[in-house]
Amino acid sequence: MSTEKFIVFQLNGQEYGASIQQIVSIERLLEIVPLPKVSDFIEGITKLRGDVIPVIDLKTRMSLPKSDETDQSRMLVSLVDGVSVGFLVDAASDVIDIDETIIEPAPTTIKGINANFLSGVAKLEDRLLLIIDLSYVLNYEELTEVKQVVEEEEN
């Protein structure tokens, strides 16, 4: 029996999970500098421990309604194709162990969510957890755009 650790986070009241192996750190929201002429889901850039990192609004990216930031809002920092990227979430509540046998393939259609982002659904005792693969949240063109944002800011 194999278990994996997942970070549980919320977007508009729905719980999601991401493999802890994809998360570098969980940060409180920092000042985000908006950028001109970038895709709408790129919230801007922020400085984290001396590095400039792009910030992605996960709700906008997943075509979910936007909501206001709160004291619970967090930024999940993940390495995507060698680039540190911050993903905005409403809250990051805990880390749980999930037995891989209870993770089922993601349904191909979940209202309003691109199925490419979902790697599965974990059926826990009291709730369903949608498992997101952060490495697939950005497609190749979007990842290239995010990398360019970082390069321009560093130069």
Side-chain angles (χ1 to χ4, degrees):
M1 190 169 98
S2 174
T3 62
E4 192 178 342
K5 288 191 180 304
F6 286 85
I7 302 247
V8 177
F9 61 93
Q10 281 84 30
L11 297 173
N12 293 346
Q14 170 64 50
E15 285 191 315
Y16 295 84
S19 169
I20 199 162
Q21 295 171 343
Q22 292 188 317
I23 308 290
V24 177
S25 64
I26 301 172
E27 307 290 338
R28 291 186 175 274
L29 293 193
L30 305 161
E31 184 184 348
I32 297 171
V33 178
L35 298 169
K37 298 188 204 139
V38 293
S39 295
D40 61 349
F41 60 84
I42 299 178
E43 195 73 13
I45 53 169
T46 192
K47 247 189 153 63
L48 179 65
R49 293 187 268 289
D51 293 328
V52 173
I53 65 169
V55 179
I56 306 294
D57 185 329
L58 208 45
K59 282 189 274 197
T60 304
R61 184 65 193 104
M62 294 171 58
S63 305
L64 296 170
K66 216 165 156 52
S67 56
D68 294 330
E69 292 172 0
T70 68
D71 290 344
Q72 299 300 308
S73 298
R74 292 292 180 268
M75 181 172 73
L76 304 179
V77 180
S78 179
L79 267 183
V80 181
D81 198 28
V83 179
S84 285
V85 178
F87 292 99
L88 296 182
V89 299
D90 292 337
S93 49
D94 53 11
V95 176
I96 59 173
D97 288 314
I98 298 178
D99 180 342
E100 289 173 1
T101 61
I102 66 164
I103 298 177
E104 297 187 358
T108 48
T109 53
I110 290 185
K111 185 172 170 268
I113 295 179
N114 183 330
N116 296 343
F117 304 156
L118 295 177
S119 59
V121 177
K123 292 187 173 178
L124 307 174
E125 284 174 23
D126 51 351
R127 61 197 204 233
L128 284 178
L129 196 62
L130 299 176
I131 306 295
I132 289 189
D133 188 335
L134 292 175
S135 57
Y136 289 108
V137 168
L138 302 174
N139 67 29
Y140 181 77
E141 288 81 19
E142 293 158 346
L143 193 55
T144 301
E145 180 183 3
V146 166
K147 287 178 177 176
Q148 286 169 341
V149 162
V150 173
E151 286 165 11
E152 286 168 15
E153 288 307 312
E154 288 176 342
N155 295 336

